[in-house]
Amino acid sequence: MTGGPVDLHAADEAWLRRAVDLARQGRPDGADPNPRVGALLVDAGGVVVGEGFHAGAGTPHAEVVALREAGGRAEGTTAYVSLEPCAHTGRTGPCADALLAAGVARVVYAGADPTVEAAGGAERLRAAGVRVQHHPLTAAEELNRRWTAAVTSGRPFVTWKVGATLDGRVAAADGTSRWITGPQARRDVHRLRAEVGAIVVGTGTALADDPALTVRDEAGEPVGRQPLRVVVGRREVPAGAAVRADDHWLQVDSPDPFDTLKPLHDKQIRHVLLEGGPTLAAAWLQAGAIDEVRAYVAPTLLGAGPALVGDLGVATIAEAVRLELADVARLGEDVRLTLRPAPARTNPTTPVPEED
């Protein structure tokens, strides 16, 4: 049998989609050093004898959880896994070896492991006589999209979050900005914060707004795991600033975004939320360090005040930074836009004449 993708019959694909559904129960994509993975074991009669998902770093992998639930019934089963079983020893042993030891007869997986350290489980299983099939699923790829981008690029995936008025202002002329967007949009921002490993702002934002950069509930109280708070810039952040409420913060004095992203990647952070002001956002955009934009647009006009992004060095429309719309949602009176950088145009089309 070759190692390439194969077509499966409907029952196999349905079980594989169940593995993806299980994986979604793990920590959000990018909020953990490890990918989200789901697994289930199905016997020859089509009965599920074990299910599991990876709950986060340091916990048993999905395959191990499923094997523990199955016990002696695992022998001769088919394992459906959302990501290729790992072949390395980290905090836990190789999942490929665990499947072999349990006597699993067949393994079907959706996503190939992109990492040098953990890849190779499929080949190890094949070499031991296990029937292995790779069947890519878009749902499995999307599940760990940010994590995959981080481990293949060697830096965290970066989402730039911005809240703005319809005319692109992030604050009024006097600097006030609370609140441009409504409560539903603000709740959504806290859900987004809960999905990342770090939140980054510039010293300008830290000094002007004194943000807490925490994940909070509707009562304004911090909840759950808190992301690392990062301030970029050379100006001193006062000891009493909200961002310095405890030791879970970091200041980076380099203007190069990759000088911020590298140490975060070394800390096993895979998803970063950029909440900095217009100057920081412009610098990161120009450096190609932003992978996704989450824009919350309010039906409000200010007519003056700081724009949502600073100078990008764009002198003509042909030099504009282009984004592609990935998703749009209404949150109360506000609109949430999810955008991604558009691929560079290699063969631009002839401009369409403007209307008179």
Side-chain angles (χ1 to χ4, degrees), residues 229-269:
R229 303 180 298 278
V230 183
V231 180
V232 176
R234 294 188 172 91
R235 285 184 286 176
E236 182 179 356
V237 179
V243 75
R244 296 186 61 175
D246 56 35
D247 292 335
H248 197 52
W249 83 290
L250 173 72
Q251 183 165 5
V252 181
D253 64 7
S254 172
D256 186 339
F258 300 103
D259 287 342
T260 298
L261 294 173
K262 184 182 185 306
L264 296 182
H265 189 76
D266 293 343
K267 291 177 180 291
Q268 302 293 297
I269 290 172

Side-chain angles (χ1 to χ4, degrees), residues 41-339:
L41 302 169
V42 182
D43 68 16
V47 176
V48 177
V49 298
E51 290 186 335
F53 65 90
H54 182 54
T59 65
H61 288 192
E63 298 94 323
V64 173
V65 176
L67 288 168
R68 288 176 180 174
E69 183 177 295
R73 296 177 296 170
E75 186 173 0
T77 60
T78 294
Y80 296 93
V81 193
S82 61
L83 186 69
E84 177 186 3
C86 68
H88 85 304
T89 300
R91 298 185 187 183
T92 59
C95 291
D97 290 357
L99 293 169
L100 287 172
V104 170
R106 178 172 171 248
V107 174
V108 182
Y109 67 97
D113 195 307
T115 64
V116 175
E117 298 82 7
E123 288 306 317
R124 183 179 295 191
L125 289 162
R126 286 193 186 95
V130 176
R131 295 169 56 207
V132 179
Q133 292 173 286
H134 176 203
H135 182 63
L137 287 179
T138 300
E141 294 175 2
E142 185 64 23
L143 182 73
N144 290 309
R145 180 175 61 86
R146 296 180 180 92
W147 176 85
T148 299
V151 297
T152 54
S153 68
R155 67 163 178 86
F157 183 95
V158 177
T159 297
W160 170 34
K161 187 278 295 182
V162 60
T165 61
L166 185 61
D167 55 346
R169 308 292 177 175
V170 294
D174 65 355
T176 55
S177 60
R178 295 182 181 178
W179 296 102
I180 285 177
T181 56
Q184 291 188 34
R186 296 198 296 273
R187 285 195 294 270
D188 194 70
V189 168
H190 283 281
R191 285 191 290 268
L192 177 60
R193 285 182 173 183
E195 297 177 0
V196 306
I199 302 175
V200 179
V201 298
T203 50
T205 297
L207 296 173
D209 298 341
D210 194 26
L213 304 183
T214 53
V215 181
R216 300 186 298 276
D217 61 19
E218 292 190 20
E221 295 298 321
V223 292
R225 177 199 60 86
Q226 294 294 329
L228 179 68
R229 303 180 298 278
V230 183
V231 180
V232 176
R234 294 188 172 91
R235 285 184 286 176
E236 182 179 356
V237 179
V243 75
R244 296 186 61 175
D246 56 35
D247 292 335
H248 197 52
W249 83 290
L250 173 72
Q251 183 165 5
V252 181
D253 64 7
S254 172
D256 186 339
F258 300 103
D259 287 342
T260 298
L261 294 173
K262 184 182 185 306
L264 296 182
H265 189 76
D266 293 343
K267 291 177 180 291
Q268 302 293 297
I269 290 172
R270 301 294 178 246
H271 187 188
V272 166
L273 185 62
L274 178 67
E275 292 196 15
T279 301
L280 194 64
W284 284 47
L285 276 168
Q286 287 182 293
I290 291 178
D291 305 294
E292 180 179 76
V293 180
R294 187 75 65 91
Y296 298 85
V297 182
T300 304
L301 300 170
L302 287 173
L308 65 88
V309 67
D311 184 7
L312 294 173
V314 174
T316 178
I317 193 67
E319 299 171 352
V321 176
R322 302 286 180 178
L323 302 171
E324 292 182 340
L325 183 64
D327 182 66
V328 59
R330 179 170 177 172
L331 301 174
E333 294 299 312
D334 304 318
V335 175
R336 183 191 69 199
L337 304 175
T338 302
L339 308 110

